[in-house]
Amino acid sequence: MAHSLNLAEETKKILESLGVSSSRYNNGDLTVVSPINGEIIANVVQSSATQTKETIEKAVKAFQTWRKVPAPRRGEFVRLLGEELRKFKNELGRLVSLEVGKIISEGLGEVQEMIDICDFAVGLSRQLYGLTMGSERSNHRLQEQWHPIGTVGVITAFNFPVAVWSWNSALAFVCGDSIIWKPSEKSPLTALAVQSIIERVIKQFGEASTDLAQLIIGDYTIGDTLVNDPRVDVISATGSTAMGRIVGQNVAKRFGRSILELGGNNAAIVTPSADLELALRAIAFGAIGTAGQRCTTLRRLIVHTSIYDSLISSLKKVYSSIKIGNPLEDGVLVGPLIDEKSFNNMENALKAAKKIGGVVYGGGRYIDEALQNAFYVHPALVEMPSQIGPMIEETFAPILYVIKYDNFDEAIALQNNVPQGLSSAIFTTDMREADHFLSALGSDCGIANVNMGSSGAEIGGAFGGEKQTGGGRESGSDAWKAYMRRQTNAINYGYEMPLAQGVKFDIQAH
Ligand code: NAD
């Protein structure tokens, strides 16, 4: 029964089983509340600005030795990390659910994503390729090499409390970099758990400094210390656009490199030829899954007039039957919002939408007697007269705005006409429409999918988005290049000194 929930006790047991010392989470000044029932589950010790500076110093030193380890050996290190994550998948997955309120299968899925990126990075460790180019000069060779860049600061959001660290770290480790992680102040426990795992792996591997992967805990102020320190070569920051606007400028001021993974406002176009049953399943997962708290959550649905009524009526049926509640229970598909602020943001967005003619179905607080101190909501569907007001913003909650279109170009324009550019989707069986959507004239997002939703990306592709989503790419494909520095080499193996572009510069050598 939900009444007998003792989440603090369960959290403690999991942290113990993962080897986290209780001194890290018993008497600290950062209170961690489970969004499942509002219970205080830990009090975590925060890092000071001085400690953060010391951490950076240690990370710089750790880099200096790590870069000497051959890349395939660094891959072996990441392979061991993947093995350890496999062993503790259940514990860590459940901790994700306890700390941020994801349903169990999504908590486990997040750890699976960590394992997958480790596997990817192991292969990558033998594939950090540079190119060779034909030189315009005789007896010359032109090539490029990729070298480790230094220390990478990883700032993460609450909604993927562990996976985002691994997207960055698994790549950065094989690239030869050291890592400092600043997790969200809302999810320090999962970070402590991952830190304990990586520390064990460092020991087992034996060829890396214990400072190769470090953790600092606290709010934006220590994030700010990390961001402004010129010894941190790359800042990879995941979170809201408001955060990225500040972080991006601060890193640029010191000519650092940033990878920004920010807010999305993702849309799907549903065309007359769409397989509506398939679309319905994808739309439901995209809009309602993770209680609307994914950066790739489906927030806008652009539906052709001819199928609008039938799709809306099917969606309403899904929305009224979806099981909301304790995410630890079987069958529940919608867990809580992270906190009261999120709930208020959702309420305010719905109010604003109504004011400008939006018709709201669902929404409002979902009350469960046993979970009264938490913020559960009914997902909302909002039929909009046009794409204005809250529809062009990201509200991090399960609100799906729906709008009609008549011709395809109009649908594409609606899809693109928002400040964010993360993910997008089209449901169609018309190959011309599908390919137009994927073409240079189609979706302007970093991710564009056909006959699947906007969320649930695989690690094999590069992940990220354009415009106010920040332009960064993480995870698969060649995203690894952001964690290395490129060096172009010209080598003269002849006896002459020809200059490029035919320039003559004859001096008297004797
Ligand atoms: P947030 O912006 O409130 O916080 C994210 C992180 O940034 C936290 O660790 C926070 O402490 C830190 N931070 C905030 N201000 C900072 C500053 N000035 N300097 C340094 N660090 C600072 O985001 P959130 O509420 O935790 O997460 C939700 C947001 O994250 C949504 O907008 C979502 O779309 C976005 N997100 C994006 C992606 C992506 O890959 N594009 C992935 C997950 C989440």
Side-chain angles (χ1 to χ4, degrees):
M1 263 303 283
H3 290 94
S4 61
L5 282 180
N6 185 343
L7 301 186
E9 198 48 42
E10 189 182 350
T11 303
K12 201 172 140 214
K13 276 195 188 134
I14 295 180
L15 289 169
E16 272 170 10
S17 73
L18 289 165
V20 182
S21 156
S22 59
S23 63
R24 306 290 305 262
Y25 59 83
N26 260 350
N27 297 310
D29 51 355
L30 177 61
T31 302
V32 187
V33 170
S34 172
I36 295 176
N37 64 351
E39 191 180 331
I40 294 176
I41 51 174
N43 292 289
V44 171
V45 178
Q46 304 196 62
S47 318
S48 65
T50 313
Q51 283 165 337
T52 301
K53 292 272 174 202
E54 287 165 6
T55 302
I56 296 170
E57 182 66 38
K58 288 185 202 163
V60 170
K61 285 208 179 106
F63 163 68
Q64 282 157 3
T65 51
W66 186 238
R67 66 183 167 175
K68 295 185 205 158
V69 176
R73 284 298 297 157
R74 304 194 295 247
E76 168 62 9
F77 169 73
V78 173
R79 193 187 66 75
L80 294 176
L81 171 60
E83 289 299 303
E84 204 66 6
L85 289 168
R86 279 181 173 86
K87 272 189 229 157
F88 292 100
K89 180 176 171 183
N90 285 335
E91 291 81 351
L92 189 55
R94 192 158 175 98
L95 191 62
V96 168
S97 296
L98 287 165
E99 190 171 40
V100 302
K102 289 191 181 191
I103 61 171
I104 291 290
S105 84
E106 288 195 56
L108 293 172
E110 186 163 345
V111 184
Q112 185 57 47
E113 205 169 341
M114 300 177 83
I115 295 167
D116 294 344
I117 192 73
C118 285
D119 286 354
F120 177 92
V122 175
L124 176 69
S125 70
R126 290 181 187 268
Q127 299 173 75
L128 301 170
Y129 300 134
L131 300 172
T132 52
M133 305 84 172
S135 171
E136 68 187 55
R137 289 173 275 193
S138 57
N139 299 327
H140 277 60
R141 181 157 57 84
L142 202 53
Q143 68 175 27
E144 64 184 14
Q145 299 188 78
W146 292 89
H147 294 310
I149 195 165
T151 293
V152 180
V154 180
I155 295 173
T156 56
F158 80 84
N159 67 317
F160 275 93
V162 290
V164 174
W165 172 83
S166 68
W167 288 4
N168 286 280
S169 302
L171 298 193
F173 289 142
V174 300
C175 289
D177 304 329
S178 58
I179 289 286
I180 301 171
W181 183 14
K182 209 292 289 170
S184 165
E185 53 275 40
K186 295 173 191 168
S187 57
L189 294 176
T190 39
L192 283 172
V194 170
Q195 184 63 22
S196 160
I197 289 173
I198 190 76
E199 283 173 8
R200 275 203 300 280
V201 173
I202 290 175
K203 243 189 213 154
Q204 188 190 346
F205 183 65
E207 294 167 46
S209 152
T210 48
D211 300 323
L212 178 65
Q214 297 180 85
L215 175 68
I216 49 173
I217 288 185
D219 63 10
Y220 72 94
T221 50
I222 63 153
D224 193 58
T225 305
L226 190 67
V227 162
N228 285 301
D229 197 308
R231 292 171 297 176
V232 184
D233 302 276
V234 178
I235 291 285
S236 173
T238 299
S240 57
T241 293
M243 175 278 287
R245 187 168 278 123
I246 298 168
V247 167
Q249 291 185 42
N250 285 341
V251 177
K253 264 188 220 154
R254 61 174 178 86
F255 297 101
R257 184 183 296 178
S258 59
I259 303 169
L260 299 176
E261 300 281 347
L262 313 175
N265 188 3
N266 318 296
I269 298 172
V270 191
T271 71
S273 71
D275 175 338
L276 285 183
E277 227 183 282
L278 177 152
L280 192 65
R281 269 181 278 141
I283 293 164
F285 173 67
I288 306 173
T290 332
Q293 299 170 112
R294 284 191 187 222
C295 52
T296 49
T297 289
L298 183 62
R299 308 200 179 278
R300 298 176 296 132
L301 197 59
I302 302 163
V303 186
H304 192 265
T305 317
S306 63
I307 49 165
Y308 184 88
D309 289 342
S310 108
L311 184 60
I312 287 284
S313 117
S314 309
L315 273 172
K316 283 183 179 168
K317 272 189 212 139
V318 172
Y319 271 59
S320 61
S321 65
I322 205 101
K323 197 165 171 200
I324 306 164
N326 181 348
L328 304 174
E329 279 176 15
D330 278 350
V332 167
L333 294 182
V334 184
L337 292 180
I338 190 72
D339 56 19
E340 185 171 12
K341 188 167 167 238
S342 278
F343 172 70
N344 291 336
N345 288 344
M346 179 168 176
E347 291 277 282
N348 290 338
L350 293 178
K351 256 187 232 155
K354 269 187 200 159
K355 233 186 207 163
I356 52 178
V359 178
V360 177
Y361 179 82
R365 196 154 169 191
Y366 169 87
I367 301 285
D368 178 324
E369 290 299 316
L371 308 169
Q372 289 224 4
N373 296 322
F375 294 89
Y376 291 82
V377 290
H378 296 275
L381 263 182
V382 186
E383 294 182 74
M384 291 293 282
S386 60
Q387 184 162 272
I388 47 170
M391 194 171 172
I392 58 171
E393 291 158 17
E394 180 198 49
T395 302
F396 217 52
I399 303 176
L400 180 62
Y401 298 103
V402 196
I403 192 167
K404 286 181 192 166
Y405 81 89
D406 286 311
N407 74 65
F408 191 62
D409 287 342
E410 181 195 351
I412 301 267
L414 282 166
Q415 137 67 35
N416 290 343
N417 199 15
V418 291
Q420 310 81 2
L422 180 52
S423 187
S424 58
I426 188 166
F427 293 93
T428 182
T429 53
D430 177 333
M431 65 176 282
R432 287 190 180 126
E433 281 181 344
D435 262 309
H436 186 103
F437 182 72
L438 302 181
S439 78
L441 304 180
S443 164
D444 65 359
C445 290
I447 298 169
N449 296 332
V450 175
N451 291 330
M452 53 168 287
S454 56
S455 65
E458 298 177 20
I459 59 94
F463 182 92
E466 305 301 334
K467 302 192 288 187
Q468 289 190 8
T469 303
R473 292 295 187 277
E474 285 175 0
S475 197
S477 184
D478 65 351
W480 59 270
K481 291 178 176 169
Y483 304 85
M484 300 200 88
R485 64 184 169 86
R486 185 196 306 242
Q487 185 178 69
T488 302
N489 312 129
I491 299 131
N492 178 359
Y493 55 89
Y495 298 91
E496 308 294 325
M497 248 302 290
L499 298 175
Q501 297 89 40
V503 172
K504 295 279 175 235
F505 199 81
D506 294 329
I507 58 161
Q508 294 293 338
H510 306 288

